[in-house]
Amino acid sequence: MSDPMRPRASLRTAVVWHILEEALDRRVKATGKDALDVLDTGGGSGNFAVPVARLGHRVTVVDPSPNALFALERRAAEAGVAERVNGVQGDIHGLFDVVERGGYDVVLCHGVLEYADDLAEGVRNAVDALRPAGALSLLAAGTGGAVLARALAGHFTEARRALTDPDGRWGAGDPVPRRFTAEQLGEAVVAAGAEVGAVHGVRVFADLVPGVLVDTEPGALDALLKLEAAAAELPAFHSVATQLHVLGEKRG
């Protein structure tokens, strides 16, 4: 995935980036700090970490891939924020082997829970890394989006399989190990000791609209971005979103 600040990636990242930027602003005002301590679990090559560091915050990225962390280091250097970005090899399950418990103002957990063996443990570790009243940004694959995408592609048996499978998988060839509903994610956040502030549907339309239409039709990209932003806030669209974003706050 590209940098959220670049137009090419905007369809996939714009909604989440806007929510995250506002959450960071709120934490700055609440804490009185100029720079927050941000943890990005599974942050890879810095798709969000580098833009967050550009805002002046200190970001620790935990990722199991040495190659991703190498790319992170290079991207941070190119962006001029190397001194504010620290990459550490690890994963969500062994999180406190490599970072401090309760040491962060904001925690990002994007694209991690799909690959975690235990949803409850993954969310609990993310919340436990927060300071009291810290903000959690959680992004995970949505079951409904996969059902809709398979059905529109004419794969009706696979769509039904995704609808009924406990992990939201459409078959053995499905590259995503598990998907979730908004209810499952919200319940996990509450059980881990945080309150759900907002839930947004992400990529409601972006993955369904032909790319040629967006690339060639004048004004199509901007119009689609506005549509995504408007639909993201409506609960009716959560059940068909490719991804679900939950913004939480750790209980004091």
Side-chain angles (χ1 to χ4, degrees), residues 23-39 52-60 83-85 103-106 131:
L24 290 166
D25 286 343
R26 286 194 297 271
R27 290 311 301 150
V28 166
K29 292 174 182 175
T31 61
K33 298 178 179 178
D34 292 328
L36 300 173
D37 294 307
V38 179
L39 174 65
V52 169
R54 281 201 198 109
L55 296 177
H57 305 300
R58 296 177 292 270
V59 188
T60 298
E83 74 283 359
R84 293 198 294 272
V85 177
Y104 299 89
D105 301 296
V106 179
R131 292 169 178 147

Side-chain angles (χ1 to χ4, degrees), residues 174-194:
D174 192 336
V176 180
R178 53 191 59 82
R179 297 181 178 87
F180 309 98
T181 64
E183 290 74 20
Q184 286 175 311
L185 294 175
E187 289 171 1
V189 168
V190 171

Side-chain angles (χ1 to χ4, degrees), residues 187-249:
E187 289 171 1
V189 168
V190 171
E195 299 296 338
V196 175
V199 179
H200 291 82
V202 179
R203 288 157 56 189
V204 176
F205 306 104
D207 292 349
L208 305 176
V209 175
V212 64
L213 175 63
V214 177
D215 292 336
T216 61
E217 188 71 22
L221 176 60
D222 185 57
L224 183 53
L225 281 169
K226 291 177 180 177
L227 176 61
E228 286 282 353
E233 299 183 2
L234 301 176
F237 289 98
H238 295 171
S239 59
V240 293
T242 298
Q243 293 179 311
L244 295 165
H245 183 264
V246 178
L247 187 66
E249 181 177 305

Side-chain angles (χ1 to χ4, degrees), residues 47-183:
N47 303 327
F48 282 91
V50 169
V52 169
R54 281 201 198 109
L55 296 177
H57 305 300
R58 296 177 292 270
V59 188
T60 298
V61 176
V62 175
D63 197 277
S65 169
N67 290 337
L69 293 173
F70 178 76
L72 167 71
E73 183 178 356
R74 184 174 64 247
R75 178 182 283 185
E78 291 172 352
V81 294
E83 74 283 359
R84 293 198 294 272
V85 177
N86 179 40
V88 182
Q89 189 170 3
D91 60 34
I92 192 69
H93 291 302
L95 189 60
F96 300 117
D97 293 335
V98 294
V99 301
E100 178 187 358
R101 188 183 298 269
Y104 299 89
D105 301 296
V106 179
V107 170
L108 281 58
C109 185
H110 296 174
V112 171
L113 299 175
E114 298 92 325
Y115 304 93
D117 293 331
D118 188 330
L119 170 64
E121 181 191 8
V123 176
R124 185 170 60 249
N125 283 354
V127 171
D128 285 352
L130 285 166
R131 292 169 178 147
L136 171 69
S137 176
L138 190 157
L139 182 69
T143 299
V147 174
L148 184 61
R150 301 315 288 175
L152 291 179
H155 304 299
F156 306 121
T157 300
E158 291 179 351
R160 182 169 57 85
R161 169 75 179 272
L163 185 63
T164 58
D165 184 76
D167 290 324
R169 289 171 55 82
W170 49 256
D174 192 336
V176 180
R178 53 191 59 82
R179 297 181 178 87
F180 309 98
T181 64
E183 290 74 20

